[in-house]
Amino acid sequence: MTPITLTSRAARRINEIMGAEPPGSMLRISVNGGGCSGFQYAFDIAKDRAADDLAVERDGATVLVDPTSLPYMEGATIDFVNDLIGQSFKIENPQATASCGCGTSFSL
């Protein structure tokens, strides 16, 4: 399995967000059916890690991915962008064959 990569910009932003959350909170990213392209990413704050979660760590930030979502995110890079359109987490997924304009949904 190709690992999921977390950029330093994403790690920095996750740490900023988690600073306002209870200690031990982590970012959970999952893949759900829906969105304009078939699948969409969901971002949630998790207080607990399940035994079968994948934990991606960098610079003190932790991202959790559940085993159901993991095959859809294999090889992905999680980044954080701040541009004229706004700020957001951006997932570059090598498996995605198409994505929507907002970047939160994709198809395989």
Side-chain angles (χ1 to χ4, degrees), residues 68-80:
T68 303
S69 300
L70 191 55
Y72 299 103
M73 292 185 63
E74 190 173 336
T77 297
I78 303 165
D79 196 7
F80 182 77

Side-chain angles (χ1 to χ4, degrees), residues 84-103:
L84 292 174
I85 298 172
Q87 299 180 358
S88 65
F89 286 103
K90 179 180 179 185
I91 299 178
E92 295 177 25
N93 188 335
Q95 297 186 74
T97 58
S99 63
C100 67
C102 65

Side-chain angles (χ1 to χ4, degrees), residues 43-92:
F43 299 86
D44 298 297
I45 305 297
K47 294 181 179 41
D48 298 310
R49 176 182 175 185
D52 56 355
D53 280 340
L54 170 71
V56 180
E57 299 175 340
R58 181 168 184 167
D59 302 332
T62 302
V63 172
L64 301 176
V65 180
D66 64 86
T68 303
S69 300
L70 191 55
Y72 299 103
M73 292 185 63
E74 190 173 336
T77 297
I78 303 165
D79 196 7
F80 182 77
V81 295
N82 184 2
D83 56 25
L84 292 174
I85 298 172
Q87 299 180 358
S88 65
F89 286 103
K90 179 180 179 185
I91 299 178
E92 295 177 25

Side-chain angles (χ1 to χ4, degrees), residues 1-66:
M1 173 170 53
T2 307
I4 295 172
T5 303
L6 185 63
T7 68
S8 60
R9 285 187 303 236
R12 188 170 36 255
R13 182 62 180 140
I14 291 166
N15 284 330
E16 290 170 2
I17 293 168
M18 293 308 136
E21 298 294 329
S25 295
M26 298 161 274
L27 179 66
R28 177 176 295 283
I29 301 177
S30 56
V31 175
N32 300 317
C36 53
S37 295
F39 294 99
Q40 62 186 1
Y41 298 108
F43 299 86
D44 298 297
I45 305 297
K47 294 181 179 41
D48 298 310
R49 176 182 175 185
D52 56 355
D53 280 340
L54 170 71
V56 180
E57 299 175 340
R58 181 168 184 167
D59 302 332
T62 302
V63 172
L64 301 176
V65 180
D66 64 86

